[in-house]
Amino acid sequence: MVQESRDALLQAALEARQNAYCPYSHYMVGAAVLGEDGKIYRGCNIENVSYGATVCAERTALLTMVAAGCRKFTAIAVATGDDFDTAPCMLCRQVMTEFCASLDVPVLMTSPDGPVYTHTLREIAPLPFMNFDPNKDYHG
Ligand code: THU
């Protein structure tokens, strides 16, 4: 992916993290996805007093993209407060699988002043449940 889009995506994830609503865990997460339409969609974690109703930053960003009418993403960046190589939760990996342009999309992990770790979705979500043909357009 081109350097400018990568930098813009990382920056968007870091900025979105500032909007995290996490009064229970105090763990702030931001995410940004690059839609196939060239737009960046942002998300943050949004917790709830009924803890199970919490939505992760990655899913907030992905669902925002879909709600805006874009159904494929070509890269995702996630920002946490951890400067070690952490990765999105399994539920978010499944949702990423649903809306990825390809399983080879980059998943970038960063934190303020921390390094950037890069994986592919295929690496972090091997053998996903995909009861559909990824080459068929179900969305048209
Ligand atoms: N969280 C995310 O936003 N993304 C993940 O991939 C893992 C966890 C959020 C959910 C919750 O608000 C907080 O981090 C602590 O689990």
Side-chain angles (χ1 to χ4, degrees):
M1 95 183 270
V2 291
Q3 185 73 37
E4 294 106 73
S5 336
R6 188 177 178 277
D7 292 347
L9 203 61
L10 288 163
Q11 187 57 36
L14 286 163
E15 284 175 18
R17 182 171 174 266
Q18 296 307 314
N19 295 332
Y21 175 74
C22 51
Y24 308 106
S25 75
H26 304 288
Y27 186 78
M28 299 166 74
V29 188
V33 290
L34 180 60
E36 223 173 32
D37 59 0
K39 293 184 186 159
I40 289 177
Y41 298 92
R42 298 171 177 217
C44 60
N45 54 330
I46 304 173
E47 299 188 343
N48 192 277
V49 64
S50 176
Y51 298 166
T54 291
V55 185
C56 293
E58 297 91 324
R59 273 176 293 142
T60 307
L62 288 160
L63 301 187
T64 298
M65 177 189 83
V66 176
C70 179
R71 289 180 173 169
K72 295 277 178 212
F73 73 97
T74 57
I76 181 166
V78 185
T80 66
D82 304 322
D83 64 0
F84 52 82
D85 193 4
T86 181
C89 83
M90 300 298 173
L91 203 57
C92 288
R93 296 180 201 196
Q94 183 66 40
V95 177
M96 286 179 206
T97 300
E98 185 85 22
F99 296 113
C100 62
S102 130
L103 285 174
D104 296 311
V105 296
V107 179
L108 314 171
M109 297 295 310
T110 194
S111 57
D113 307 316
V116 177
Y117 298 94
T118 307
H119 299 280
T120 63
L121 180 56
R122 192 187 297 280
E123 270 181 276
I124 66 164
L127 288 180
F129 173 63
M130 278 208 293
N131 190 21
F132 59 89
D133 178 351
N135 296 314
K136 189 173 164 195
D137 183 10
Y138 291 88
H139 311 308

